[in-house]
Amino acid sequence: MDQVDAESVSMGAVRNPALLASTSILGLAVILLFYFLRRKRTTKIPADGLFDLQLLGRFNGVTGPIFMGVCGKVVNVSSSENITVGEGYGRLWAGKDATFALATLSLKPEDANKLDFTLAQFTEDQRKALAGWYKHFTVKYPVVGRLREYDGWDFSEIEKQAEKETPFGLGKDEQKAATGADEPVLLRPGDKVKLQGTADDKLDGKIGVLRKLDAATGKFEVALVDEDSSVLVKPNQISKI
Ligand SMILES: *[C@@H]1O[C@H](CO)[C@@H](O)[C@H](O)[C@H]1NC(C)=O
Ligand SMILES: *[C@@H]1O[C@H](CO)[C@@H](O)[C@H](O)[C@H]1NC(C)=O
């Protein structure tokens, strides 16, 4: 009975062009209103500071601020000169959770928003690297919320380690020597670098191009300019030029 009624109503609409037109316009208006309200609501920071990955994805810097996730926290990295929309770190991590990528020094897009890992699977060096980055992002930028997906995770070990760590697990002095600053230099593949302090006279002073971060060793692969070879070096053995 219901079915017959529904069918006769829609048949009636089809037979009556004026009714069909006004129904479509009304429908369109409802859909537009729905999207408008939804957009307005979801691009606001939630009052309780609780984000999920989908909401975080809206803070990708295209129309508003750039937020990033690290160790369950959401940070506003808009003021960073090195994180811009659509390029480098911005392309990788704007509006995304970077916890796994930072721990493994990975610049692979698929390692952003990656949640199927445990802290226990990280090596000591990876935990140190994560602690260093956690410190960098939470000290330098305002924490604006937390990520629901990490509810129940215990980052206290990382947070504790962060008190004494600098990125890549370097000691404070090594860090200073490497970058000339307390601030970690964020390096990208393609960056031109100079080798230094490699304990190899033939390598020191050579210029190369950063290829990638080798997650297993925590070393950088650098292709030497003017030579058909590449070397693996520690973070403190290169400086960006
Ligand atoms: C994010 O940071 C930027 C730059 O510091 C600031 O202008 C903006 O108000 C912040 N936005 C939010 C929502 O915290
Ligand atoms: C940002 O990039 C500039 C220029 O490339 C560099 O000098 C600076 O150290 C970087 N800052 C951070 C925090 O990586």
Side-chain angles (χ1 to χ4, degrees):
M1 192 63 191
D2 278 358
Q3 257 178 355
V4 172
D5 277 346
E7 204 176 292
S8 59
V9 167
S10 71
M11 298 267 287
V14 172
R15 276 195 226 108
N16 182 341
L19 182 61
L20 180 65
S22 54
T23 312
S24 319
I25 290 169
L26 188 71
L28 196 66
V30 168
I31 291 168
L32 286 177
L33 186 70
F34 174 76
Y35 275 108
F36 179 72
L37 289 177
R38 193 163 163 257
R39 223 184 122 81
K40 261 200 111 95
R41 198 176 63 231
T42 45
T43 42
K44 264 202 202 142
I45 298 181
D48 57 2
L50 194 56
F51 288 75
D52 58 20
L53 283 182
Q54 206 201 346
L55 178 60
L56 179 61
R58 291 175 176 264
F59 293 92
N60 56 9
V62 175
T63 55
I66 304 180
F67 291 177
M68 228 182 87
V70 55
C71 297
K73 300 234 162 91
V74 175
V75 288
N76 176 3
V77 295
S78 306
S79 64
S80 169
E81 52 183 277
N82 294 9
I83 303 178
T84 47
V85 180
E87 46 182 277
Y89 292 105
R91 191 161 48 80
L92 287 173
W93 300 329
K96 297 202 173 132
D97 174 64
T99 309
F100 181 85
L102 292 172
T104 56
L105 304 177
S106 168
L107 299 176
K108 294 190 202 124
E110 63 268 30
D111 284 338
N113 279 358
K114 188 178 158 92
L115 296 166
D116 56 343
F117 70 93
T118 62
L119 292 181
Q121 87 187 46
F122 289 150
T123 64
E124 186 60 27
D125 281 347
Q126 289 174 334
R127 267 196 285 272
K128 279 186 182 178
L130 181 58
W133 285 117
Y134 170 81
K135 182 171 192 174
H136 172 71
F137 283 109
T138 55
V139 167
K140 191 167 176 207
Y141 305 106
V143 176
V144 292
R146 60 192 176 88
L147 259 189
R148 185 195 297 275
E149 279 82 357
Y150 283 106
D151 270 358
W153 283 56
D154 182 8
F155 284 104
S156 58
E157 184 202 348
I158 301 293
E159 286 164 25
K160 218 172 134 206
Q161 186 140 33
E163 287 165 17
K164 49 179 194 275
E165 283 308 325
T166 49
F168 304 119
L170 297 183
K172 250 202 146 44
D173 293 341
E174 284 172 288
Q175 177 75 35
K176 258 203 159 101
T179 65
D182 284 330
E183 187 103 293
V185 176
L186 301 178
L187 293 154
R188 303 182 177 93
D191 278 350
K192 226 175 174 193
V193 294
K194 185 176 175 181
L195 302 186
Q196 68 197 6
T198 60
D200 180 340
D201 289 345
K202 289 200 287 289
L203 281 181
D204 271 357
K206 284 240 157 87
I207 308 294
V209 175
L210 189 68
R211 285 274 173 258
K212 63 177 173 128
L213 302 156
D214 183 60
T217 57
K219 288 182 176 175
F220 292 93
E221 185 186 322
V222 176
L224 297 174
V225 171
D226 302 330
E227 271 166 71
D228 213 10
S229 64
S230 58
V231 288
L232 280 179
V233 291
K234 287 198 223 156
N236 60 339
Q237 292 171 334
I238 50 175
S239 59
K240 197 170 154 177
I241 54 169

